[in-house]
Amino acid sequence: MSNLVTCYIENNIATITLQNGKVNAISHQVIDELNQALDQAEQDKAVVVLTGQPGMLSGGYDLKVMGESMEAAMALVAKGSSLTRRMLSFPFPVLVACSGHAVAKGAFLLLAADYRIGVEGPFKIGLNEVAIGMTMHHAGLELARGRLAPVFFNRSVILAEMVSPQDAVIAGFLDKVVSEEEFLPTVNFIAKAMTKLDMKAHHQTKLKARAELLQVLDESIEKDRHSSL
C-alpha cells in the first residue's frame, strides 16, 4: 500500500488509518487501499478500527474528482457507496475512531460502522452536501435514513446541519464521546472487548439486523449509477 492508508494488525485488531493530506480526502486510490486493508483484516479475522489523523477523520470525497465531470463524480460516489455497504456487512466488528471532523463521506463512514467513538473538541460532524450545492445521492439518503435518529434525518440530510461531537451522539453519528486523553485507551478497550465475540454469531446477526438496509442500498447504488447528482 502507499501511504494514503496504513493497516497494522496486532492481537486480532486491524488499525486502518487514513492519511491523505489535510482533510483525508476520499479518492479512488483511498477507496482501493481501504478495500485492500479490509481484505487483509478479513483474511486475519481481525476486528477493524478505522481512524484518521488527529483532528480529522475525513472531510469527504476528493473535490478535484468531484469537479471533473458528472460522470467522474458519480463513479466516485458509487465506488464509495460500495465501500460503506461492505463495512455494514463486514464479517468482523468495525469500530470507527473519529479523531476530529467527519464531514460528508467522512460522516457516512461513521454511519457504516458498528461502533463509533468520537473525541471532544471544536469539531464538526455531518452531511454538508446540500450546503455545497450537491443533491444527496440515493445510497446516501438511505444510509442516513437507516442509521440516524429520525428527528435528525431531515436536519442532517435536507438542511445540512453540522453538529458537535456531543450532539453527534444524539443524532446517531457517534456512540460515545471521550476526552483526548481517554480517546486511545477507550478505543483500545472496546476493540479488545469486540475480539471476544463469537464472530460467526456476530456476522449472522448483523446480516439479519441490516437485511432491509443492505437490500435498499444495493438498489440505491444501482440507481445512482444511472442518475446525476
Side-chain angles (χ1 to χ4, degrees):
M1 286 187 206
S2 80
N3 59 0
L4 298 187
V5 174
T6 63
C7 181
Y8 176 71
I9 300 178
E10 185 178 37
N11 298 325
N12 298 315
I13 297 171
T15 301
I16 300 172
T17 305
L18 298 172
Q19 44 187 35
N20 184 24
K22 236 184 240 188
V23 299
N24 279 334
I26 306 294
S27 63
H28 284 285
Q29 184 178 348
V30 167
I31 295 171
D32 288 341
E33 293 187 18
L34 281 171
N35 274 310
Q36 290 168 21
L38 290 174
D39 289 344
Q40 204 174 332
E42 188 168 352
Q43 183 179 336
D44 286 15
K45 301 181 178 178
V47 167
V48 169
V49 175
L50 176 62
T51 193
Q53 304 168 72
M56 178 65 67
L57 177 64
S58 175
Y61 286 123
D62 187 331
L63 293 181
K64 289 180 185 174
V65 179
M66 296 300 284
E68 278 179 22
S69 67
M70 190 63 68
E71 292 75 17
M74 288 312 302
L76 183 56
V77 167
K79 193 169 182 176
S81 296
S82 294
L83 170 67
T84 43
R85 199 267 185 217
R86 180 184 186 185
M87 290 172 61
L88 282 165
S89 59
F90 198 68
F92 305 97
V94 176
L95 186 161
V96 173
C98 185
S99 49
H101 299 290
V103 180
K105 187 60 180 178
F108 280 124
L109 292 176
L110 297 175
L111 296 180
D114 299 315
Y115 201 95
R116 298 78 46 90
I117 301 173
V119 63
E120 290 174 354
F123 303 121
K124 294 297 182 184
I125 295 172
L127 306 171
N128 71 337
E129 280 81 351
V130 168
I132 61 172
M134 291 176 62
T135 300
M136 184 70 75
H137 54 299
H138 293 289
L141 280 171
E142 296 306 330
L143 180 54
R145 196 194 314 277
R147 297 303 308 273
L148 286 175
V151 70
F152 267 88
F153 174 75
N154 286 342
R155 290 164 62 179
S156 296
V157 173
I158 298 174
L159 299 178
E161 181 177 337
M162 305 298 289
V163 296
S164 67
Q166 287 78 8
D167 285 342
V169 174
I170 301 168
F173 288 107
L174 295 175
D175 295 294
K176 182 189 285 288
V177 175
V178 296
S179 68
E180 188 176 348
E181 294 74 25
E182 296 172 306
F183 184 58
L184 286 179
T186 303
V187 169
N188 292 333
F189 177 81
I190 293 177
K192 188 175 179 181
M194 286 177 169
T195 66
K196 308 300 183 187
L197 294 173
D198 181 299
M199 295 306 172
K200 182 178 179 182
H202 163 77
H203 190 214
Q204 290 179 342
T205 301
K206 180 189 289 189
L207 292 180
K208 279 187 179 181
R210 295 178 179 162
E212 290 182 15
L213 176 56
L214 292 171
Q215 181 178 342
V216 77
L217 279 178
D218 287 338
E219 295 166 358
S220 297
I221 291 169
E222 193 57 31
K223 275 185 195 175
D224 286 329
R225 292 188 198 281
H226 304 289
S227 66
S228 58
L229 290 172

